[in-house]
């Protein structure tokens, strides 16, 4: 079974802190994605990557950056966390474009 | 403007009822539509639809796509309390670089 692992289930940070959310997949998938999920807004795409060292902006990239130095790892970075970035963050991967996504269990981030 | 619209946003039914969840979309260069079920954290894959008129079926769940009218339905027959979840519809298209664009989801509660 494909496993997508997010490093933290719950995270509490202070406004202005730099935050790293890590995601690792174990199935040699080409594509990796970061979404955030908020009540009433659904899942919104932040960034995605179709290859190592490549990244594409999603619908809401402002305030975020990403890093993909290795195929299996995709990191989401909040350079200076703000309270409006309090959310559930979901990482996902797929073997090729158009294939179904496999999701991690999510990280609930609270920025105080 | 939302490209993927799900309705209803929430639904409460009794065990044994049949439910129909709707998903309409408006995207450029549609490639596929996917349904996911989200109970706790990670969404889990249900169906992928690419061709019009071909029903996908898994047990009590079924789904069909109408590419002319730009919508899909997810049917659940003889509902059980274990079907309680948020059901997510996602569309893959050129608009989003072929990353999945999700609707807000339908929250289904099945009461005993």
């Amino acid at each position: 079974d494909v496993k997508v692992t997010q490093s933290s289930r719950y995270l509490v940070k202070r406004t202005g802190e730099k935050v790293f959310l890590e995601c690792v997949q174990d199935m040699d998938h080409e594509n990796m994605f970061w979404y955030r999920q908020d009540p009433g807004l659904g899942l919104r795409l932040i960034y995605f990557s179709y290859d190592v060292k490549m990244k594409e902006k999603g619908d809401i990239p402002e305030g975020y950056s990403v890093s993909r130095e290795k195929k299996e790892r995709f990191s989401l970075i909040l350079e200076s966390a703000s309270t409006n970035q309090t959310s559930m963050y979901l990482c996902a991967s797929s073997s090729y474009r158009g294939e179904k996504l496999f999701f991690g269990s999510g990280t609930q981030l609270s920025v105080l | 403007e939302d490209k993927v619209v799900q309705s209803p946003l929430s639904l409460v039914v009794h065990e044994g009822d049949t439910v129909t969840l709707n998903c309409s979309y408006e995207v450029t260069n549609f490639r596929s539509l996917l349904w996911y079920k989200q109970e706790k954290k990670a969404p889990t894959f249900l169906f992928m639809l690419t061709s019009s008129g071909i029903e996908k079926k898994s047990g009590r769940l079924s789904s069909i796509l109408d590419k002319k009218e730009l919508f899909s339905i997810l049917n659940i027959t003889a509902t059980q309390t274990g079907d309680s979840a948020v059901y997510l519809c996602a569309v893959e298209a050129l608009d989003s670089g072929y990353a999945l664009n999700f609707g807000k989801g339908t929250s289904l509660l099945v009461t005993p």
Side-chain angles (χ1 to χ4, degrees), chain A residues 33-79:
Chain A
F33 307 82
W34 275 106
Y35 290 88
R36 65 177 281 179
Q37 186 173 29
D38 302 286
L41 296 177
L43 271 79
R44 293 180 292 165
L45 182 64
I46 306 172
Y47 267 98
F48 58 104
S49 169
Y50 287 140
D51 202 352
V52 176
K53 297 193 185 294
M54 290 183 66
K55 60 184 178 184
E56 301 277 351
K57 290 180 180 179
D59 297 321
I60 51 163
E62 297 79 17
Y64 303 95
S65 62
V66 290
S67 172
R68 191 156 182 215
E69 295 296 317
K70 293 185 178 181
K71 192 175 186 179
E72 66 271 19
R73 187 180 296 269
F74 193 36
S75 303
L76 181 68
I77 304 155
L78 288 67
E79 293 290 341

Side-chain angles (χ1 to χ4, degrees), chain A:
Chain A
D1 275 358
V2 175
K3 193 164 184 184
V4 180
T5 303
Q6 293 184 232
S7 53
S8 306
R9 291 290 294 273
Y10 301 95
L11 211 51
V12 179
K13 296 292 181 181
R14 297 233 175 254
T15 301
E17 277 193 78
K18 189 168 185 175
V19 182
F20 291 87
L21 301 183
E22 305 287 347
C23 176
V24 177
Q25 49 92 5
D26 66 357
M27 283 300 290
D28 202 34
H29 281 177
E30 299 290 332
N31 311 313
M32 298 188 74
F33 307 82
W34 275 106
Y35 290 88
R36 65 177 281 179
Q37 186 173 29
D38 302 286
L41 296 177
L43 271 79
R44 293 180 292 165
L45 182 64
I46 306 172
Y47 267 98
F48 58 104
S49 169
Y50 287 140
D51 202 352
V52 176
K53 297 193 185 294
M54 290 183 66
K55 60 184 178 184
E56 301 277 351
K57 290 180 180 179
D59 297 321
I60 51 163
E62 297 79 17
Y64 303 95
S65 62
V66 290
S67 172
R68 191 156 182 215
E69 295 296 317
K70 293 185 178 181
K71 192 175 186 179
E72 66 271 19
R73 187 180 296 269
F74 193 36
S75 303
L76 181 68
I77 304 155
L78 288 67
E79 293 290 341
S80 178
S82 63
T83 54
N84 63 12
Q85 292 178 311
T86 291
S87 186
M88 169 67 75
Y89 289 87
L90 288 162
C91 175
S93 72
S94 68
S95 54
Y96 52 88
R97 297 189 201 194
E99 186 53 54
K100 64 185 180 185
L101 296 182
F102 293 87
F103 283 88
S105 296
T107 296
Q108 179 63 54
L109 173 67
S110 297
V111 182
L112 307 177

